[in-house]
Amino acid sequence: MRSQGAGSMLAMALLLALGSAVAGCDGSKPLINQQADDDKPGPFPAADRPVADVVSSRWSSEDARDRLREADQVMDRAKIRPGMTVADIGAGEGYYTVRLAQRVGKEGRVLAEDIVAAWRDRLAERVARERLDNVSVKLGEAADPKLPPNSFDRVLMVHMYHEIGQPYEFLWRLHPALKPDGLVVVVDADRATRAHGTPPALLKCEFEAVGFTQVSIESMPSAGGYLATFCATGPRPEPGAIRPCRMKGN
């Protein structure tokens, strides 16, 4: 990353390090503290479904998506406001990242994460070129988004959930990152995972298996499918106690 981007990353890291203990999405149920030995928990159950290949850093051109007002509608329905801290998981070339940066404003923060180093680097260059001082860029891992705890008002996963090869471990590690009233926002197509989508019933089942509760789901044609939101409602289960979802036709 260029020096300006590195400075933004440092500022973001310092900001997110200030998080304190988190509570449930209704403010009444405490979440467990992230333990020092969380780096190697498990084993986690395998997903009982196909996993789509990561084939591209984009699924349509930015101009085509803007003509449908995709990002605006997703951010509106996710209630993303100025001053929020938002994670863009699977950020790719940054379609949502740059629009989130505008929406949250100078008082907000965006952490853009991807698992492909080349895409991460291109996005870091774009962030520096467009002087997005409220954006940091990070390299995650396939089973771990590497998000700091108690830090995010919203975590966006747009057209990428079906590419997560180890969903139970991924969601288990994501769970502590939400603020007490934070939400995970998933946009995907209602089709089999092998066809680059996630059936809503399967999505709900996998999230609930690791301690999330579905808050809402609605049709989102402009984004190619549906938008679902989840909050963390209780302690994460022990990895060995997670019961994998069994779905046919995926």
Side-chain angles (χ1 to χ4, degrees), residues 183-200:
L183 294 175
V184 180
V185 181
V186 178
V187 176
D188 214 337
D190 183 4
R191 54 176 177 254
T193 55
R194 65 169 61 89
H196 289 267
T198 308

Side-chain angles (χ1 to χ4, degrees), residues 55-62 65 91-93 95 119 126:
V55 296
S56 175
S57 59
R58 65 170 73 178
W59 75 282
S60 181
S61 73
E62 295 195 5
R65 297 169 81 171
E93 296 181 359
Y95 173 73
W119 298 350
R126 179 177 185 179

Side-chain angles (χ1 to χ4, degrees), residues 22-26 28-33 172 175-176 180 207-208 210-213 231-237:
V22 295
C25 64
D26 62 355
S28 63
K29 298 180 180 179
L31 303 179
I32 63 173
N33 293 326
W172 189 90
H175 188 285
F207 267 80
E208 289 183 345
V210 294
F212 289 90
T213 295
C231 68
T233 50
R236 299 175 297 179

Side-chain angles (χ1 to χ4, degrees), residues 151-229:
S151 298
F152 295 95
D153 300 290
R154 299 290 185 270
V155 175
L156 263 65
M157 296 192 288
V158 180
H159 292 291
M160 57 76 63
Y161 184 81
H162 48 268
E163 298 172 351
I164 299 174
Q166 298 166 277
Y168 301 107
E169 181 175 0
F170 183 93
L171 294 174
W172 189 90
R173 292 182 180 278
L174 172 64
H175 188 285
L178 291 176
K179 291 182 179 180
D181 57 351
L183 294 175
V184 180
V185 181
V186 178
V187 176
D188 214 337
D190 183 4
R191 54 176 177 254
T193 55
R194 65 169 61 89
H196 289 267
T198 308
L202 176 62
L203 181 76
K204 182 174 184 286
C205 182
E206 291 184 347
F207 267 80
E208 289 183 345
V210 294
F212 289 90
T213 295
Q214 183 170 293
V215 176
S216 66
I217 185 167
E218 56 188 308
S219 177
M220 180 65 69
S222 63
Y226 62 84
L227 181 148
T229 62

Side-chain angles (χ1 to χ4, degrees), residues 78-154:
K79 296 181 172 61
I80 295 174
R81 302 182 298 274
M84 281 187 166
T85 299
V86 181
D88 182 13
I89 306 299
E93 296 181 359
Y95 173 73
Y96 272 91
T97 299
V98 299
R99 289 156 181 81
L100 286 167
Q102 296 169 358
R103 177 66 65 97
V104 302
K106 292 182 179 180
E107 301 303 317
R109 294 291 184 272
V110 178
L111 178 62
E113 181 261 26
D114 209 289
I115 64 171
V116 180
W119 298 350
R120 184 275 314 269
D121 292 345
R122 287 201 294 270
L123 179 53
E125 291 176 355
R126 179 177 185 179
V127 166
R129 184 173 62 251
E130 298 186 20
R131 299 180 181 274
L132 302 177
D133 294 333
N134 60 347
V135 175
S136 298
V137 182
K138 184 173 187 176
L139 186 67
E141 295 180 358
D144 186 358
K146 294 187 173 295
L147 301 181
N150 190 29
S151 298
F152 295 95
D153 300 290
R154 299 290 185 270

